[in-house]
């Protein structure tokens, strides 16, 4: 594909030891990881906002990250872009035997189970090649904490460690909240309070997953609602010649309810 070849040529030129870009030449696998994460979030943000005009550009920025890693791998004699493409192509064919083989899948749910089964087999094969490991192996530590919590819980559940009822998860959240409240009332050291806050958040992730929600998406949308309501409060007060810091808590609570009603109609 001519467009892909052009991008690979541009990447090679940027890394050229003599005539390349000084910034690109000094990068390593580790140094561009933060940029990769940022570009992935920008893609997600464009999709969330349905910004179809700018999405191709954001996807291009993310693709460039893959090309950058491939170039680094090629320079080190480890792998190249062709190896990256072959790896994902082989994986997709292997994990879709109902499309590229003789297997049959009758529903998206059945496909999801088959996909996870194939992934589990691949992880088991890697462990046999190395040394005995855990069902939690290869859950990336660099994932956002909420997303990683969900993946860890999913792996544990597939191993049989799962709460049997929805009510058990509600009870777990209540339990963690009570423990946090106790530590705060007892003026526990900050590390103990942090411990309980973390446990509460982890339990909330589990409850969200149990209810069929993606906790990362749910929290992101809560962030957006908060931002929308808070901005409405700021704007309203500014139009009246005031500011949030000049109002007492009782008025701010009332203003918050007004903002909820005005922005998304869910005042309570």
């Amino acid at each position: 594909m001519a467009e892909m070849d052009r991008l690979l040529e541009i990447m090679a030129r940027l890394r050229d030891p003599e005539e390349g870009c000084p910034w690109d030449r000094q990068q390593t696998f580790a140094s561009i990881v933060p940029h990769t994460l940022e570009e992935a979030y920008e893609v997600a943000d464009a999709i969330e906002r349905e910004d179809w005009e700018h999405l191709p550009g954001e996807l291009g920025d993310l693709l460039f990250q893959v090309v950058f890693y491939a170039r680094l791998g090629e320079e080190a004699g480890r792998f190249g872009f062709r190896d990256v493409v072959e790896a994902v192509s082989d994986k997709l064919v292997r994990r879709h035997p109902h499309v590229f083989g003789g297997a049959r899948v009758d529903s998206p749910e059945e496909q999801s189970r088959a996909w996870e089964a194939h992934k589990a087999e691949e992880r088991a094969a890697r462990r046999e090649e190395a040394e005995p490991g855990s069902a939690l192996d290869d859950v990336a530590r660099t994932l956002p904490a909420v997303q990683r919590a969900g993946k860890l819980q999913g792996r544990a559940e597939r191993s049989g460690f799962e709460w049997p009822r929805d009510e058990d998860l509600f009870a777990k959240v209540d339990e963690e909240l009570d423990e946090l409240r106790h530590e705060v009332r007892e003026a526990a050291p900050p590390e103990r309070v942090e411990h309980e806050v973390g446990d509460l958040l982890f339990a909330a992730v589990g409850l969200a997953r149990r209810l069929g929600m993606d906790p990362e998406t749910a929290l992101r949308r809560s962030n957006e609602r908060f931002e929308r309501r808070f901005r409405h409060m700021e704007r309203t007060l500014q139009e009246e010649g005031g500011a949030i810091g000049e109002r007492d808590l009782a008025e701010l609570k009332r203003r918050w309810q007004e903002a909820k009603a005005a922005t998304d109609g869910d005042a309570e």
Side-chain angles (χ1 to χ4, degrees), residues 190-204:
E191 59 269 21
R192 286 297 309 164
V193 176
E194 179 191 76
H195 177 112
E196 297 301 342
V197 168
D199 287 350
L200 175 60
L201 294 173
F202 192 85

Side-chain angles (χ1 to χ4, degrees), residues 23 34 82 94 113 165-166 195 210 257:
W23 186 90
R82 181 180 297 274
R94 186 170 63 250
R113 290 193 294 271
R165 302 173 304 151
D166 292 354
H195 177 112
R210 180 69 181 218
Q257 296 301 325

Side-chain angles (χ1 to χ4, degrees), residues 46-207:
I47 293 173
E48 189 78 16
R49 293 184 289 105
E50 298 186 352
D51 185 1
W52 312 126
E53 178 182 356
H54 294 100
L55 181 57
E58 299 298 352
L59 288 169
D61 291 342
L62 186 57
L63 175 61
F64 179 69
Q65 299 297 306
V66 177
V67 170
F68 209 140
Y69 288 118
R71 182 65 193 179
L72 293 174
E74 184 175 342
E75 291 172 0
R78 295 169 178 165
F79 62 88
F81 186 74
R82 181 180 297 274
D83 299 299
V84 174
V85 174
E86 288 182 352
V88 70
S89 298
D90 291 345
K91 183 184 297 184
L92 288 171
V93 170
R94 186 170 63 250
R95 292 183 179 178
H96 291 83
H98 57 295
V99 176
F100 302 102
R104 177 173 176 173
V105 172
D106 296 319
S107 69
E109 294 75 19
E110 187 176 346
Q111 165 56 19
S112 294
R113 290 193 294 271
W115 178 273
E116 292 299 335
H118 281 294
K119 289 172 65 176
E121 290 173 3
E122 292 168 3
R123 288 193 295 270
R126 287 198 297 269
R127 287 198 296 269
E128 288 178 3
E129 294 174 0
E131 59 184 25
S134 164
L136 306 181
D137 286 346
D138 73 12
V139 177
R141 293 183 176 274
T142 53
L143 286 172
V146 171
Q147 186 178 355
R148 188 164 192 265
K151 285 187 172 292
L152 291 171
Q153 291 171 3
R155 292 284 184 86
E157 289 166 6
R158 287 192 289 277
S159 297
F161 186 67
E162 181 178 13
W163 300 104
R165 302 173 304 151
D166 292 354
E167 189 56 40
D168 294 322
L169 272 298
F170 281 107
K172 186 61 178 174
V173 171
D174 289 339
E175 175 189 330
E176 298 299 349
L177 182 57
D178 287 341
E179 291 180 2
L180 172 59
R181 184 178 291 113
H182 172 78
E183 295 291 357
V184 172
R185 286 174 175 170
E186 295 297 317
E191 59 269 21
R192 286 297 309 164
V193 176
E194 179 191 76
H195 177 112
E196 297 301 342
V197 168
D199 287 350
L200 175 60
L201 294 173
F202 192 85
V205 169
L207 177 58

